[in-house]
Amino acid sequence: MGYQIPRGTQDILPGTVEKWQYVEKKAREICSRYNYKEIRTPIFEHTELFLRSVGDTTDIVQKEMYTFTDRGERSLTLRPEGTASTVRSYVENKLFGLPQQPTKLYYIGPMFRYERPQAGRYRQFVQFGIEAMGSDDPSIDAEVMALAMDVYKELGLKRLRLVLNTLGDKESRKAHRDALVAHFEPRIDEFCHDCQNRLQTNPLRILDCKKDRDHDLMKTAPSIHDYLNDESRNYFETVKSTLTAMGIDYVIDPTLVRGLDYYNHTAFEIMSDAEGFGAITTLSGGGRYNGLAEEIGGPATPGIGFAMSLERLLLALDAEGVKLPIEDSLDCYLVVMGESAKEKAPSILYQLRKAGLKADKDYMDKKMKAQFKAADRTNAKIVAVLGDDELANGVISVKEMESGNQTEVKLEEVTQYILNQI
Ligand code: HAM
């Protein structure tokens, strides 16, 4: 038996790849409307970057990274997400010094996490994400959420839920953290091994534990909302009122915590409520990360962003039965009969293509009937037939498939004729 694709990865074949191209195009289009510019960073980074940013107590860093040592003995990691690299690049390239601030960036590219594969969860997946750095104006929080929702809505999704929370600033988080430790500590031995470790390293993550989610202490755990200082509360209120004024629906979930350490203030996820979407209902997630740039050696910089995987987006489109308007047809298929015609065909085809037409012909020495069938399969708008007789008369027969109209055109005029028809 030959080789098989690695677990948790996918081949995206013609027939499906058009959907990817379509949603990528839509994402780029919406980014350009919101004035976000594309950034492309390497697929691997120094491992240390992710330890510092994503956080060394997170599942991503502890269990999911593809880390390797290169031939120069450096520890490198395939990026598990895009925020760390984007902020690293922002700092390294001093983008904060550019006149136009905030710096608004987007990326589309593969990310890698060693997770247990299932529908909607892969080891290589493509994230589309945006990052806005340099502003702590709450209206940019609303902008980031609006952009994410626009991508889904404009592609035709309806069963969407924007779930919003605040994690507060450093001071609020510290107060909440202390309250969480005091809450769980007396009975921590009733929790799983991971939660026991999390108690001191990252107690907020206990709230996100799948194994212990039904424990009665989970329901009574202190909420961040009771520990917000005035500044954090006001910030959250403004984010909410801005969303409301923009007409964007949301629900507040005080238990929403994100799986990465760099967040503060705004945190959000967009969920799919479509039936049959499967066990994983989160389509995208994001939030504010003031302090991350500083953490990795840059100037104090507020930032906010989100990321969605295109895999989950496409699953949601399937679950809601959305058919993307993908047009995949040729302008012209050239049917060729006879030896002289066969010799002439490549130069005619080349002419059509140079003129910008999507055109093809047979290369498998097919009989005429099979060539017409092949033309049919390509949904060609025009089928041009070139036989030795036509060639001898300097003409080519051109059939417009929708109307069925057929006419003979002079060979030297065929390109212009087809251009006029399309
Ligand atoms: P995240 O919640 O870890 O956040 O991932 C964001 C999105 O990436 C998820 O909602 C999901 O759509 C997709 N995703 C994550 N893991 C997988 C997987 N194994 N298979 C398929 N899709 C997956 C981040 O990555 C942050 N960097 C988001 C962000 C940007 N926050 C601020 N800026």
Side-chain angles (χ1 to χ4, degrees):
M1 201 179 62
Y3 295 105
Q4 286 179 347
I5 195 169
R7 223 165 108 71
T9 66
Q10 306 187 83
D11 292 320
I12 301 160
L13 304 177
T16 304
V17 81
E18 293 78 8
K19 291 188 190 173
W20 287 74
Q21 291 167 342
Y22 187 89
V23 300
E24 285 166 13
K25 188 160 172 241
K26 176 62 80 183
R28 289 177 195 283
E29 202 181 291
I30 292 177
C31 280
S32 116
R33 248 186 270 158
Y34 279 77
N35 198 23
Y36 284 73
K37 310 279 187 209
E38 185 174 4
I39 182 169
R40 299 186 187 193
T41 61
I43 288 197
F44 55 84
E45 296 272 356
H46 293 290
T47 302
E48 182 64 22
L49 174 69
F50 301 115
L51 304 188
R52 283 311 278 269
S53 53
V54 172
D56 49 14
T57 62
T58 58
D59 282 355
I60 294 182
V61 166
Q62 291 198 337
K63 304 178 186 166
E64 296 170 3
M65 293 208 306
Y66 281 90
T67 297
F68 60 98
T69 309
D70 76 359
R71 289 167 196 273
E73 299 297 316
R74 299 171 197 92
S75 178
L76 298 169
T77 293
L78 299 185
R79 60 185 187 188
E81 57 105 52
T83 309
S85 311
T86 307
V87 177
R88 193 257 322 129
S89 179
Y90 168 85
V91 170
E92 191 170 345
N93 294 292
K94 300 194 173 51
L95 300 185
F96 46 81
L98 296 180
Q100 187 167 343
Q101 296 299 334
T103 302
K104 304 208 292 186
L105 302 168
Y106 79 90
Y107 47 85
I108 302 178
M111 309 290 162
F112 305 85
R113 297 185 193 178
Y114 190 81
E115 295 201 78
R116 198 140 47 88
Q118 62 187 95
R121 179 174 289 150
Y122 309 94
R123 291 184 174 169
Q124 174 174 335
F125 54 98
V126 174
Q127 268 190 353
F128 156 58
I130 69 169
E131 313 293 348
M133 284 162 284
S135 167
D136 58 6
D137 182 331
S139 70
I140 208 158
D141 300 44
E143 171 177 293
V144 165
M145 290 182 258
L147 189 156
M149 291 296 281
D150 271 4
V151 173
Y152 294 126
K153 285 187 205 156
E154 289 191 25
L155 286 167
L157 290 178
K158 298 206 161 54
R159 309 289 311 275
L160 300 165
R161 193 160 28 102
L162 171 60
V163 183
L164 181 63
N165 191 22
T166 179
L167 304 172
D169 64 3
K170 233 182 189 165
E171 186 187 271
S172 313
R173 287 184 62 145
K174 165 96 178 58
H176 182 224
R177 187 199 143 97
D178 292 347
L180 284 171
V181 174
H183 178 76
F184 286 114
E185 196 162 28
R187 291 171 62 193
I188 194 65
D189 50 352
E190 296 167 25
F191 284 76
C192 74
H193 186 69
D194 279 346
C195 282
Q196 292 180 13
N197 287 335
R198 286 171 186 143
L199 183 71
Q200 293 309 330
T201 57
N202 198 347
L204 195 64
R205 301 280 307 143
I206 297 178
L207 301 178
D208 212 21
C209 179
K210 304 275 175 300
K211 285 190 210 136
D212 293 319
R213 73 173 147 213
D214 295 327
H215 195 288
D216 60 307
L217 280 190
M218 289 293 214
K219 285 165 207 107
T220 54
S223 160
I224 178 69
H225 291 241
D226 298 327
Y227 295 87
L228 294 177
N229 56 20
D230 286 350
E231 197 197 321
S232 301
R233 182 167 297 107
N234 290 340
Y235 195 89
F236 192 44
E237 288 307 318
T238 315
V239 172
K240 287 192 291 182
S241 61
T242 311
L243 282 174
T244 306
M246 291 164 82
I248 296 171
D249 293 336
Y250 58 87
V251 290
I252 304 292
D253 179 356
T255 67
L256 177 85
V257 292
R258 305 265 307 120
L260 305 94
D261 273 357
Y262 44 63
Y263 292 113
N264 40 57
H265 290 290
T266 310
F268 70 94
E269 289 187 351
I270 299 172
M271 323 291 282
S272 168
D273 288 333
E275 280 122 44
F277 182 59
I280 299 173
T281 55
T282 307
L283 291 177
S284 51
R288 190 159 267 290
Y289 47 81
N290 301 348
L292 176 56
E294 215 172 347
E295 183 69 33
I296 60 172
T301 314
I304 178 160
F306 85 92
M308 64 171 70
S309 71
L310 299 190
E311 287 81 355
R312 286 191 197 170
L313 164 59
L314 292 168
L315 282 176
L317 290 168
D318 276 351
E320 289 201 27
V322 175
K323 270 198 82 69
L324 299 174
I326 289 165
E327 223 235 307
D328 187 27
S329 61
L330 284 184
D331 297 320
C332 178
Y333 194 93
L334 187 59
V335 170
V336 184
M337 284 173 305
E339 279 315 303
S340 328
K342 215 170 149 185
E343 261 171 48
K344 180 75 182 166
S347 58
I348 296 178
L349 197 58
Y350 187 50
Q351 242 183 64
L352 297 177
R353 290 169 174 168
K354 277 208 295 194
L357 292 164
K358 293 191 274 177
D360 207 359
K361 71 172 187 70
D362 166 59
Y363 294 94
M364 305 301 288
D365 224 359
K366 284 194 180 124
K367 300 254 162 28
M368 193 164 86
K369 205 168 152 202
Q371 288 189 47
F372 276 110
K373 246 196 185 149
D376 221 36
R377 268 197 294 271
T378 66
N379 287 321
K381 292 180 195 136
I382 283 176
V383 176
V385 185
L386 185 69
D388 286 349
D389 291 349
E390 279 97 348
L391 192 56
N393 294 328
V395 296
I396 185 165
S397 159
V398 177
K399 184 170 182 183
E400 212 259 312
M401 297 313 279
E402 203 179 284
S403 62
N405 291 340
Q406 190 161 354
T407 134
E408 281 197 344
V409 181
K410 281 196 194 137
L411 259 184
E412 61 270 22
E413 289 169 10
V414 66
T415 306
Q416 195 52 50
Y417 181 85
I418 295 176
L419 279 172
N420 293 344
Q421 297 288 306
I422 299 294

